[in-house]
């Protein structure tokens, strides 16, 4: 099944921001486009707005005037649904209410030809449920664009329970022909991105609720150590706390209130207070005129230790050994079977976050996972009241010696980056095991949909098959709510034999 031919009409129902964006994408790809909105006059206004955006593309040199004029000539507002009769594809982008969408598609089914592909851009409703009212649900798919649709490349092509393979393939090929990067998935709550991304917000909010650290520091650690483009507090302020919390709550409810997706009470209180982020002038941060953004906690300059002993290597943090040596610190390596750790001159230990807490040991400081320890500009350390001051001081100085800012947080099991990445890997493994999407499509979706530095499957390849399982197992022992219990998919993945793993079976 090939993409819908450029000569065929694409209809877009709903002329808000998303509807206009989808229409612009189809228009620039060469299709005749018809716009329809239930509110009289809206379709004409939307056509004018799209034309103005095409003008700006010409002004910026991203489109020539002839192509702009041809596109405008193919764009037609529709006063009545009957004018959509010749459409080969109808994409809906109206209000997120199931009965309203069902009523629309039931009416469209009586207007368009039997070979017309019907698609919803829903981000929160079940594609299967929307199609449930149709006499031919096999031609119905989800085409979930990301906002702004003309700029963001990702499109999730969602197959409902009754969607025929030919319809999903045609939708996929059409999105690809439009210059987008489509990924396939089954009809699961949140699809790929909104399902798997929940821990990026939830774990940061949990650290905050546990009084482990403040929003500015958590954001800085995830950006400067984890390699994420934005921290979760600043990102949800940008998205809108009400919008982000509603998506989290929708996914949670759809999964029968699974503890894996439990919403944040702190975020709920923010929403109840009307502090919705940038659009309201205040969220986790203030955006009022003259407001000063809080600075992340950064430890003052401290003398580094002259030497350290590394026992058992450092696993995913192994590149630190070279950085320490480059900074002039003498590194002794010892072969030990007691795990991986750095022994400091104080006698205390520095250990990569593993899901345990400093309070369980006599004198231990934990350090967080980094995307790239050489490129990272900040490292988080975690200590408890029983941690020796000299051990913490030497730990701070050690990382400062290799050019890192150091943020000391509370005694949080799994810390910030490590627990976030482990949870992302867990939800990805669960999605793969349940046939939601392929590992490749999951990584593509997370990189393009939410700008993650790595997809969770690629994180797993870097960190090893059992890393996330072991960390979450320790977290689950300390927070036995079920939230951190490793999924069956992650459990199986951690026990794959190397020879089978290499063969891809």
């Amino acid at each position: 099944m090939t993409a819908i031919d450029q000569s065929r009409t694409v209809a877009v129902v709903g002329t808000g921001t998303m509807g206009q964006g989808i229409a612009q994408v189809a228009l620039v790809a060469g299709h005749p486009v018809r716009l329809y909105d239930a509110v009289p006059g809206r379709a004409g206004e939307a056509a004018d707005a799209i034309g103005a955006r095409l003008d700006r593309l010409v002004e910026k040199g991203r489109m020539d005037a002839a192509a702009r004029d041809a596109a405008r000539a193919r764009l037609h507002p529709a006063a009545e649904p009957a004018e959509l009769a010749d459409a080969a594809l109808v994409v809906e982008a109206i209000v997120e209410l199931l009965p309203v969408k069902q009523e629309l598609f039931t009416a469209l089914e009586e207007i368009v030809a039997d070979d017309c592909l019907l698609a919803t851009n829903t981000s929160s409703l079940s594609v299967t449920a929307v199609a449930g009212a149709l006499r031919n649900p096999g031609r119905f798919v989800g085409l979930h664009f990301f906002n702004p649709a003309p700029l963001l490349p990702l499109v999730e092509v969602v197959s409902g329970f009754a969607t025929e393979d030919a319809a999903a393939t045609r939708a996929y090929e059409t999105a690809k022909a439009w210059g987008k990067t489509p990924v396939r998935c089954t009809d699961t709550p949140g699809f790929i991105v909104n399902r798997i991304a929940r821990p990026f917000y939830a774990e940061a909010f949990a650290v905050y609720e546990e009084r482990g650290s403040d929003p500015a520091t958590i954001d800085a650690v995830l950006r400067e150590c984890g390699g994420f483009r934005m921290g979760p507090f600043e990102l949800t302020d940008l998205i809108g706390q009400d919008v982000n919390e509603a998506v989290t709550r929708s996914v949670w409810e759809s999964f029968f209130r699974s503890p894996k997706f439990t919403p944040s009470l702190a975020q709920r209180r923010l929403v109840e207070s009307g502090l919705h982020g940038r659009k309201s002038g205040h969220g986790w941060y203030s955006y009022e005129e003259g407001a000063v953004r809080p600075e992340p906690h950064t430890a003052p300059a401290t003398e580094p230790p002259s030497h350290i002993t590394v026992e058992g290597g450092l696993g995913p943090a192994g590149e630190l050994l070279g950085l320490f040596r480059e900074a002039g610190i003498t590194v002794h390596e010892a072969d030990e079977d007691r795990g991986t750790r750095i022994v400091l001159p104080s006698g205390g230990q520095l250990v990569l976050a593993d899901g345990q807490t400093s309070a369980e040991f006599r004198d231990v400081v934990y350090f967080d996972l980094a995307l790239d320890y050489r490129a990272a500009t900040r490292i988080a350390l975690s200590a408890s009241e029983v941690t020796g001051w000299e051990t913490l001081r030497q730990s701070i100085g050690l990382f400062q010696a290799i050019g890192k800012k150091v943020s000391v947080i509370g005694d949080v099991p799994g810390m910030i980056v490590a627990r976030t990445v482990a949870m992302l890997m867990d939800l990805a493994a669960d999605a793969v095991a349940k046939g939601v999407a392929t590992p490749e499509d999951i990584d593509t979706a997370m990189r393009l949909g939410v700008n993650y530095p790595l997809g969770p499957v690629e994180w797993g390849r870097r960190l090893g098959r059992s890393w996330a399982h072991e960390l979450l197992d320790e977290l689950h022992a300390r927070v036995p709510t079920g939230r951190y219990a490793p999924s069956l998919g992650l459990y199986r993945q951690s026990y794959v034999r190397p020879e089978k793993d290499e063969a891809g079976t």
Side-chain angles (χ1 to χ4, degrees), residues 7 14 56 180 189 216 338 409 426:
S7 65
R56 288 195 290 275
K180 296 301 180 182
R338 292 176 292 178
I409 68 172
D426 181 61

Side-chain angles (χ1 to χ4, degrees), residues 140-348:
F140 191 87
V141 298
L143 273 179
H144 182 218
F145 289 77
F146 288 74
N147 194 26
L151 296 180
L152 295 185
L154 184 68
V155 177
E156 292 176 318
V157 179
V158 186
S159 290
F161 185 79
T163 301
E164 295 171 357
D165 289 343
T169 299
R170 193 172 197 198
Y172 179 95
E173 294 298 335
T174 298
K176 191 174 179 181
W178 291 357
K180 296 301 180 182
T181 303
V183 292
R184 299 173 186 263
C185 67
T186 59
D187 185 21
T188 184
F191 309 142
I192 299 176
V193 173
N194 282 328
R195 170 180 175 150
I196 294 175
R198 298 343 296 165
F200 180 70
Y201 313 106
E203 294 313 309
F205 298 160
V207 171
Y208 170 76
E209 290 175 336
E210 293 163 17
R211 302 178 67 85
S213 194
D214 59 281
T217 300
I218 296 169
D219 276 353
V221 170
L222 281 160
R223 284 195 318 269
E224 301 171 37
C225 183
F228 293 91
R229 186 170 296 186
M230 295 182 74
F233 294 91
E234 58 190 343
L235 180 55
T236 52
D237 269 357
L238 179 63
I239 295 168
Q241 297 302 330
D242 53 337
V243 174
N244 181 261
E245 202 257 358
V247 173
T248 298
R249 188 166 293 275
S250 173
V251 172
W252 177 58
E253 294 282 4
S254 297
F255 276 109
F256 308 103
R257 301 197 172 190
S258 164
K260 293 278 186 183
F261 301 98
T262 302
S264 161
L265 181 59
Q267 188 182 34
R268 173 97 291 254
R269 293 291 179 258
L270 210 62
V271 172
E272 290 172 339
S273 300
L275 303 178
H276 294 169
R278 288 179 180 268
K279 63 186 177 184
S280 69
H282 206 296
W284 295 109
Y285 303 109
S286 174
Y287 300 92
E288 296 172 358
E289 188 174 350
V292 178
R293 180 75 169 264
E295 292 292 324
H297 168 77
T298 303
T302 305
E303 279 291 312
S306 61
H307 66 276
I308 58 173
T309 300
V310 176
E311 297 182 349
L314 290 181
E319 67 179 316
L320 283 173
L321 275 66
L323 297 178
F324 294 145
R325 288 190 173 105
E326 290 169 20
I329 295 166
T330 301
V331 177
H332 303 290
E333 293 189 63
D335 245 346
E336 295 286 339
D337 293 329
R338 292 176 292 178
T340 62
R341 59 186 179 175
I342 297 171
V343 180
L344 299 161
S346 67

